[in-house]
Amino acid sequence: MIPGFNQRRRFADLSEQEILALAISSEEDDAAIYRNYAQQLRGDYPDSARVFDAMADEENEHRRRLIDLHTARFGDVIPLIRREHVSGFYARRPVWLIQNLGLERIREEAGMMERDAENFYQKAAARTQDAATRKLLGDLALAEAGHSDTAEHLEQAHLGGDAREQEARTAHRQFVLTWVQPGLAGLMDGSVSTLAPIFATAFATQDTWTTFLVGMAASVGAGISMGFTEAASDDGSISGRGSPLKRGLSAGVMTTVGGLGHAMPYLIPHFWTATIIAMVVVFVELWAIAWIQKKYMETPFFRAAFQVVLGGALVFAAGVLIGSG
């Protein structure tokens, strides 16, 4: 035992029976994680889901072999010992975090899981005296080391060129729906809607600090409003637009950034210097919006630029006219 941590054991203090029990529970956990990956991916990526189903089947086969060995050596009663009971033992992500991972991130997580398991079996085999146990643990270490090759073979079997291309298109579409669209809407709202209050205040008061405070308030307020509106408008279960938290965060942050872009120059105390810089920033913001529309929304650049610049110019003019009056 470690002083002060009575509920956790050191790996070096585990008996061979406890090492086998730990291996059994770890294989159970890994199989469950792969099943959850498969379940998460089945709707949009059915071919990748079959890959993770097959990997879960392999983990269950490892568990069966471990249980057979434990039964032969120690009987039918397996001690209850899990990863969290052992100090310094590798951890796994909580299952509830799985739904927030993308396809490529899930594949990376699976690779890390296999490397962790390989290291565990190597250390476990080194601490085992029984020949049969040592052989099985060594074989499982080799199996985990070869799982990257196994996963590649499984992907080749289930993911042909057409399937992989289709999944790439689906992943890109999900990225656009979850992050780009809400973020673009927020950037447009923050960049355009705050033009009128900021420049109206600027020309009405010609006080840069007051203008900055108004711009800060308008930007942050618009960001909070836009974020909550986006998150509450659609939970994503039917539309497939993804997590409302992610969409709300994207929309809220980009709305705030869009407004702060042309509010920050008013930290400069000289009115006309701040105003000219703010106008340049507005021009850059509007062209950035047009570029994002072209890259991700497949909108012709000049049409997007015309729409955004025209709308921004009208709102800007309204602010200047109201402030000057």
Side-chain angles (χ1 to χ4, degrees):
M1 295 285 188
I2 300 177
F5 294 87
N6 294 330
Q7 300 304 316
R8 305 194 74 187
R9 303 280 300 281
R10 292 187 304 179
F11 183 72
D13 294 335
L14 299 181
S15 66
E16 291 190 10
Q17 182 183 15
E18 289 171 329
I19 289 175
L20 282 177
L22 179 60
I24 291 168
S25 65
S26 296
E27 293 289 354
E28 289 175 346
D29 290 344
D30 287 355
I33 291 172
Y34 287 144
R35 292 292 184 201
N36 275 279
Y37 283 159
Q39 184 62 30
Q40 178 190 343
L41 297 173
R42 206 173 309 281
D44 293 328
Y45 311 106
D47 297 293
S48 286
R50 285 195 287 273
V51 171
F52 284 105
D53 279 332
M55 293 177 71
D57 290 339
E58 287 206 20
E59 299 302 300
N60 282 328
E61 175 60 21
H62 293 174
R63 180 181 64 87
R64 185 193 63 77
R65 293 171 63 186
L66 288 164
I67 290 176
D68 288 344
L69 178 62
H70 182 279
T71 301
R73 287 196 61 192
F74 303 108
D76 295 332
V77 180
I78 301 174
L80 179 60
I81 180 168
R82 308 187 70 83
R83 293 188 179 98
E84 58 268 25
H85 300 157
V86 180
S87 175
F89 201 69
Y90 65 86
R92 296 296 194 219
R93 278 178 175 268
V95 173
W96 57 267
L97 284 179
I98 294 173
Q99 62 184 357
N100 294 321
L101 301 179
L103 177 60
E104 291 306 319
R105 190 71 181 87
I106 285 177
R107 287 173 176 165
E108 291 175 8
E109 285 287 319
M112 292 171 60
M113 288 171 60
E114 301 303 337
R115 287 191 291 273
D116 289 340
E118 176 192 358
N119 291 335
F120 161 64
Y121 281 123
Q122 288 175 342
K123 293 177 181 178
R127 291 200 54 250
T128 302
Q129 301 298 319
D130 178 72
T133 303
R134 191 178 188 120
K135 179 180 183 302
L136 176 57
L137 295 176
D139 289 344
L140 292 180
L142 291 174
E144 299 292 350
H147 266 190
S148 59
D149 295 331
T150 301
E152 183 176 345
H153 293 322
L154 290 170
E155 287 187 8
Q156 290 175 353
H158 296 298
L159 292 175
D162 292 341
R164 190 180 293 274
E165 183 179 348
Q166 177 61 38
E167 289 195 349
R169 288 197 299 267
T170 302
H172 175 74
R173 177 178 177 274
Q174 194 63 54
F175 172 74
V176 170
L177 290 175
T178 303
W179 293 105
V180 177
Q181 275 190 354
L184 179 60
L187 183 60
M188 293 176 67
D189 184 80
S191 298
V192 176
S193 68
T194 58
L195 287 176
I198 289 176
F199 285 101
T201 303
F203 281 87
T205 65
Q206 296 198 4
D207 183 327
T208 57
W209 180 245
T210 300
T211 303
F212 170 73
L213 292 178
V214 170
M216 176 70 75
S219 301
V220 173
I224 294 172
S225 175
M226 191 73 171
F228 273 101
T229 299
E230 177 62 39
S233 64
D234 178 12
D235 64 6
S237 59
I238 296 178
S239 66
R241 296 179 62 220
S243 164
L245 178 61
K246 292 179 180 179
R247 290 186 288 104
L249 181 65
S250 177
V253 169
M254 293 307 292
T255 302
T256 303
V257 168
L260 287 179
H262 43 270
M264 295 297 287
Y266 284 98
L267 286 171
I268 300 171
H270 188 269
F271 172 74
W272 282 109
T273 301
T275 300
I276 291 171
I277 294 175
M279 290 178 180
V280 172
V281 171
V282 170
F283 180 80
V284 172
E285 289 172 346
L286 297 180
W287 280 91
I289 292 170
W291 180 83
I292 294 172
Q293 285 184 315
K294 177 184 181 299
K295 181 173 177 62
Y296 292 102
M297 314 305 294
E298 300 181 357
T299 304
F301 180 77
F302 287 105
R303 189 176 78 183
F306 176 76
Q307 293 172 343
V308 173
V309 172
L310 177 61
L314 291 173
V315 177
F316 172 77
V320 172
L321 289 173
I322 293 172
S324 299

